[in-house]
Amino acid sequence: VSEPSSPRIATSPRRKVAELYLFDTCTLKCGYCWLAESGNVLDQSQLDQFRDLSQIGKISSFFLSRTTPDAKWLLLLTGGEPLIAPNLDRLLAPLHEAGNSTGYYTALMVGSNHPGFRFLLEHPYPQTDYVMASLHPESEADENRYFEKIRRLKDAGHRVFLRYVAHPRRLHRLDELSERCREMDVAFYPTTLLSNRYPGEYTLEERARLSGHFSSLSQHVQLAGGLDTTNLLCHAGSRIIAIHLQTGNITPCITVHRPSLGNIYEDRLELAGAPASCPEPGIDCVCDVHFQQDIVVGAEDGQPFEQLCRGYEPPRRHAGELEGMQRKGLAFYPRSKIGVGGVANDQRLFYSIEEVRENYRATRKLPRTSLHRSGIREVAGSIGVIEICDARARIESAAPPTRIVTPSQQWSWGASAPLSIPEDIDGEIWLRIRAATLTGEGAFGILNRSEPSFQDRCFIKAGAPHSTFFLRVSNAREASRLVIENSGQDGRPAEILLEAVTIIVAAA
Ligand code: SF4
Ligand code: SF4
């Protein structure tokens, strides 16, 4: 482990902050995380950017060309799990060398010998400003490994936080974890659950219990639901920027989507010169980084945060600061009473790998190519003759195998077959389809009778390895037709060979 080696690192306020969103890919499957809920944590293709050394070079030279002896960057890496980024050392070592610093939002759930963890261990403070290390539900199953890594980071000279998402089913651990952090002299940082229902649904007792462990203003602001951005003035776009590294797009902060200030891969950046009104009035400013880095005028939390970086801090109510903010006209986000996060189902602490795989498949409309069910039987009849849907489409032979050529526009229908599925079937009902897309991309969907939506649908590209797949009939009475469409974006027709469609029932 090397000693801290860069005395040139600048401290705020001259340091600019860049929030770097690397990718959705992650080693965990937290129940309160949209990336797990959508299955995106499994998207390994998002790592490809970092395997490309020319892309790595563009990212580092973007910052190096904007680093001067008295103007440095603090790069805050988040995702997903940033430690699994390929070539993390090649990306960050030159930036550290030039006096810039980094911070990490990580779950530390990579092996002790993983290159990402080794790099972190070898670059403590001041090269690494802080490590926000979340203890997530899956890590609790082998908590000693997590705490061993925290200890090693602390011993190496890192400024470490134990971040803990305060799902109501996790509140019982607050006292014990706080005590453990105090013993290790590590900042204890419980955070508010942000979901479709929370923070609105915390009871008064839960709120008191949680806020009793807060030591920074940011934590209290998050529990209050964040700040309404209407009339909010901030330094986003001047002292902080956010960069989505999958696209390179640069925005004023990680919460807002506009305006675009440039693109890292095109080496373009137009910084604002002064604080300005939030570009998206009426939304929720809830990211704690923006308070910790003194970005939001009137909600500065830099000094308490810096204190926390140094180690364990006892809880503080910050009542005076919260009242002062309201006196200055800052308002909490009104919709926080019903929840502010993007997670639709916050009941779970974590998902199984099978559930996340299924979410990944469903989000991308990939075909379900296996059905792990018992007692499967076929239902005769119930599927009518295949019919052409559009004068620009072609079908050859109504009897299988049927060759279908769709129109060239995306979402145009090529053919369909009526369904009349008995309503009294006991068990799960599925369509088993044997088909291949010969050119382009074909979509297969079960259309509802009373509204133009699909009960289940999947997209199959030409050359897909599997030719048998399954669509779920969730409502037999409503299922009106099997529709075959063109889902390709390239303006070409999709050509599909449909061999067989069978209704099957699996034991309930
Ligand atoms: S560690 Fe959990 S919360 Fe963080 S990105 Fe991964 S799944 Fe989401
Ligand atoms: S007010 Fe908050 S959400 Fe709006 S730009 Fe500033 S930091 Fe971002």
Side-chain angles (χ1 to χ4, degrees):
V1 176
S2 65
E3 290 297 311
S5 59
S6 181
R8 289 169 290 158
I9 286 178
T11 52
S12 57
R14 305 194 93 156
R15 188 172 62 172
K16 285 192 177 15
V17 181
E19 301 171 289
L20 302 186
Y21 188 90
L22 276 67
F23 38 66
D24 298 343
T25 327
C26 188
T27 52
L28 294 186
K29 310 173 287 300
C30 304
Y32 41 69
C33 176
W34 181 82
L35 300 178
E37 191 173 65
S38 62
N40 285 13
V41 288
L42 297 183
D43 188 354
Q44 298 286 325
S45 70
Q46 294 190 29
L47 303 182
D48 290 347
Q49 292 268 22
F50 300 87
R51 297 197 173 94
D52 180 345
L53 293 184
S54 72
Q55 289 291 87
I56 292 277
K58 283 179 187 168
I59 299 168
S60 49
S61 62
F62 175 90
F63 288 109
L64 288 174
S65 66
R66 292 168 175 84
T67 302
T68 64
D70 54 6
K72 310 292 184 194
W73 289 90
L74 166 62
L75 308 180
L76 299 178
L77 278 67
T78 185
E81 173 51 73
L83 294 187
I84 62 173
N87 294 310
L88 198 65
D89 51 347
R90 287 191 188 228
L91 174 66
L92 299 180
L95 298 171
H96 284 159
E97 185 57 30
N100 301 297
S101 54
T102 42
Y104 301 84
Y105 286 76
T106 171
L108 290 182
M109 287 309 281
V110 295
S112 307
N113 285 324
H114 188 284
F117 184 70
R118 286 210 315 267
F119 179 81
L120 188 57
L121 213 49
E122 289 162 9
H123 296 83
Y125 182 77
Q127 292 175 322
T128 296
D129 195 54
Y130 64 90
V131 181
M132 192 63 82
S134 292
L135 174 64
H136 286 303
E138 280 168 280
S139 313
E140 291 179 62
D142 188 5
E143 205 165 283
N144 289 340
R145 273 179 66 206
Y146 169 86
F147 276 105
E148 174 58 15
K149 290 198 193 99
I150 294 274
R151 187 195 60 72
R152 289 182 68 187
L153 290 172
K154 180 85 182 158
D155 289 351
H158 273 286
R159 313 200 304 174
V160 191
F161 289 71
L162 188 158
R163 183 171 176 270
Y164 185 75
V165 178
H167 190 287
R169 283 165 54 200
R170 306 182 86 204
L171 295 175
H172 65 283
R173 295 206 62 194
L174 289 172
D175 293 344
E176 160 219 341
L177 289 172
S178 171
E179 180 56 22
R180 192 154 184 183
C181 286
R182 196 185 60 74
E183 286 166 8
M184 296 174 79
D185 193 23
V186 160
F188 182 48
Y189 196 79
T191 60
T192 296
L193 173 64
L194 303 174
S195 75
N196 59 336
R197 299 186 304 139
Y198 286 87
E201 290 217 356
Y202 282 121
T203 64
L204 285 177
E205 193 264 327
E206 287 171 338
R207 277 173 190 273
R209 196 168 182 180
L210 175 55
S211 62
H213 286 279
F214 288 167
S215 25
S216 72
L217 181 65
S218 312
Q219 290 165 297
H220 290 282
V221 172
Q222 283 191 327
L223 183 58
L227 294 176
D228 184 343
T229 59
T230 312
N231 303 324
L232 217 52
L233 203 62
C234 77
H235 297 273
S238 53
R239 296 215 313 241
I240 193 170
I241 55 172
I243 309 180
H244 197 293
L245 288 180
Q246 291 296 304
T247 62
N249 189 37
I250 305 174
T251 51
C253 80
I254 206 161
T255 307
V256 297
H257 302 95
R258 60 183 164 83
S260 174
L261 304 179
N263 189 294
I264 194 168
Y265 300 122
E266 296 165 11
D267 197 22
R268 286 192 294 110
L269 174 63
E270 283 177 43
L271 285 176
S277 299
C278 180
E280 294 193 28
I283 65 163
D284 189 12
C285 184
V286 74
C287 176
D288 49 7
V289 168
H290 305 153
F291 313 121
Q292 292 158 356
Q293 299 296 330
D294 292 343
I295 299 301
V296 181
V297 175
E300 291 86 356
D301 194 29
Q303 194 276 328
F305 182 68
E306 177 58 28
Q307 196 64 36
L308 265 176
C309 285
R310 293 177 192 164
Y312 181 82
E313 276 290 306
R316 259 190 65 194
R317 289 183 58 227
H318 290 272
E321 290 93 330
L322 288 163
E323 282 166 21
M325 281 168 55
Q326 287 176 298
R327 269 201 309 278
K328 282 183 225 154
L330 276 69
F332 294 116
Y333 186 63
R335 282 181 52 213
S336 64
K337 289 186 179 57
I338 55 167
V340 293
V343 176
N345 177 3
D346 59 19
Q347 309 288 317
R348 304 285 302 275
L349 289 182
F350 60 90
Y351 293 103
S352 68
I353 185 65
E354 289 75 24
E355 288 170 310
V356 176
R357 279 194 192 123
E358 174 59 14
N359 295 348
Y360 179 85
R361 187 202 64 72
T363 305
R364 287 159 181 74
K365 299 278 184 281
L366 298 174
R368 186 187 283 103
T369 56
S370 57
L371 203 59
H372 301 289
R373 300 288 191 281
S374 59
I376 288 180
R377 63 189 166 86
E378 294 185 5
V379 176
S382 307
I383 303 175
V385 175
I386 194 127
E387 301 160 354
I388 197 162
C389 291
D390 188 304
R392 298 163 299 171
R394 294 199 315 274
I395 60 175
E396 289 172 7
S397 146
T402 303
R403 185 169 161 273
I404 301 160
V405 182
T406 70
S408 52
Q409 287 89 353
Q410 191 181 29
W411 311 128
S412 54
W413 292 12
S416 74
L419 301 171
S420 49
I421 302 171
E423 291 176 35
D424 56 354
I425 290 179
D426 191 19
E428 283 183 2
I429 309 173
W430 297 83
L431 292 193
R432 184 179 62 206
I433 301 171
R434 239 187 13 253
T437 300
L438 305 177
T439 57
E441 183 180 294
F444 298 77
I446 299 172
L447 186 71
N448 275 317
R449 199 173 301 284
S450 57
E451 53 183 55
S453 60
F454 291 98
Q455 292 188 11
D456 197 4
R457 193 186 194 196
C458 69
F459 305 154
I460 300 192
K461 288 193 168 129
H466 300 282
S467 59
T468 299
F469 54 94
F470 302 87
L471 293 179
R472 175 81 191 268
V473 179
S474 52
N475 183 334
R477 188 163 54 86
E478 270 292 303
S480 73
R481 305 186 83 81
L482 169 67
V483 174
I484 296 163
E485 304 168 273
N486 180 359
S487 53
Q489 300 176 5
D490 57 3
R492 287 188 303 152
E495 187 181 346
I496 291 145
L497 193 66
L498 181 64
E499 291 184 27
V501 183
T502 314
I503 294 178
I504 60 171
V505 178

